[in-house]
Amino acid sequence: MAKKICWGIFALIILVMGVRVVYVNATYPNARFKTVDSSEEMKYRDCSIKIDNVTYYSKSQWSKYAKEQGFELEEDKHKIQYFNNINRDAGYEYLVSYDPESDYYVLTMEVTVRNDADTDVSFYYRELMNIVQSKMTGSENLDSYYFALVNNMKTEESSQCKLKAGEEKTMTYIYVTNERKPKLYAQIIDIKGYQLMKLNIEDKQ
């Protein structure tokens, strides 16, 4: 039963992201599209967003980084399986969007969000932005385990952000994929339209 619930939650997240894109397309067909330079800020509702230090780690580099920072790799800490290749006989705690048994890459980026409103705002970290290969492709999946770990968040704090008026917060967003994707974009979608920013990705040296 727990496995079915876990799979259902994962599938729901993917479905919600897809529905969100379709909803904006259908409801706001004339929504404004804007390409944002990497030196500029993006906008989401009443917040300004700045993206810095976008870095790709190889699997071995990420393993080394994890040891230096004193945390366990997700595949060592938890019994995980790739959602596209499930071995039900082996069992799992939850599903992930990458194959931990193959080579993979970890994309990290510093995201600073500033509340420009005169009142408090709140948003879900996952809804803030998408990481995509192009405007019409699906988005990468934010890795919840590493996101909470690297940002020193408790599990209950890692889903939603609350900012007071004028408050600013910097977080590290983390995505794990089995393919190194040299061209990626940060995409923000809301009722005001689309914003797309090409990420300046550097390889970890």
Side-chain angles (χ1 to χ4, degrees), residues 13-137:
I13 290 172
I14 301 300
L15 178 62
V16 168
M17 297 305 296
V19 169
R20 182 177 170 215
V21 174
V22 173
Y23 172 78
V24 173
N25 283 335
T27 310
Y28 305 97
N30 297 317
R32 183 169 59 94
F33 174 77
K34 180 182 180 183
T35 300
V36 181
D37 188 85
S38 60
S39 62
E40 299 177 333
E41 292 181 333
M42 303 181 82
K43 302 291 184 181
Y44 177 70
R45 290 163 48 184
D46 293 318
C47 295
S48 297
I49 301 166
K50 180 67 175 176
I51 299 175
D52 290 304
N53 300 325
V54 186
T55 305
Y56 252 136
Y57 290 76
S58 67
K59 186 175 183 177
S60 60
Q61 289 171 331
W62 186 249
S63 179
K64 180 181 178 182
Y65 175 77
K67 290 180 180 178
E68 292 173 348
Q69 298 300 314
F71 64 82
E72 293 182 79
L73 295 176
E74 187 171 23
E75 60 266 33
D76 295 335
K77 179 71 173 180
H78 298 284
K79 195 171 185 179
I80 59 177
Q81 285 196 45
Y82 181 33
F83 76 92
N84 268 345
N85 187 25
I86 302 173
N87 181 355
R88 299 191 182 279
D89 293 332
Y92 55 85
E93 293 179 44
Y94 58 89
L95 301 172
V96 293
S97 59
Y98 66 98
D99 185 352
E101 297 183 3
S102 301
D103 282 340
Y104 59 73
Y105 297 88
V106 180
L107 181 74
T108 68
M109 60 185 193
E110 292 181 9
V111 178
T112 301
V113 184
R114 184 182 68 250
N115 178 12
D116 296 326
D118 296 327
T119 57
D120 297 354
V121 299
S122 64
F123 56 86
Y124 289 99
Y125 290 111
R126 287 184 180 276
E127 76 175 19
L128 184 64
M129 70 177 70
N130 301 322
I131 300 302
V132 299
Q133 289 185 278
S134 68
K135 180 181 176 183
M136 299 308 295
T137 59

Side-chain angles (χ1 to χ4, degrees), residues 163-182:
L163 297 176
K164 298 184 181 299
E167 185 179 0
E168 183 177 283
K169 183 174 184 178
T170 299
M171 303 142 293
T172 300
Y173 272 58
I174 299 178
Y175 304 84
V176 187
T177 64
N178 290 112
E179 178 186 356
R180 188 194 181 287
K181 302 173 181 179

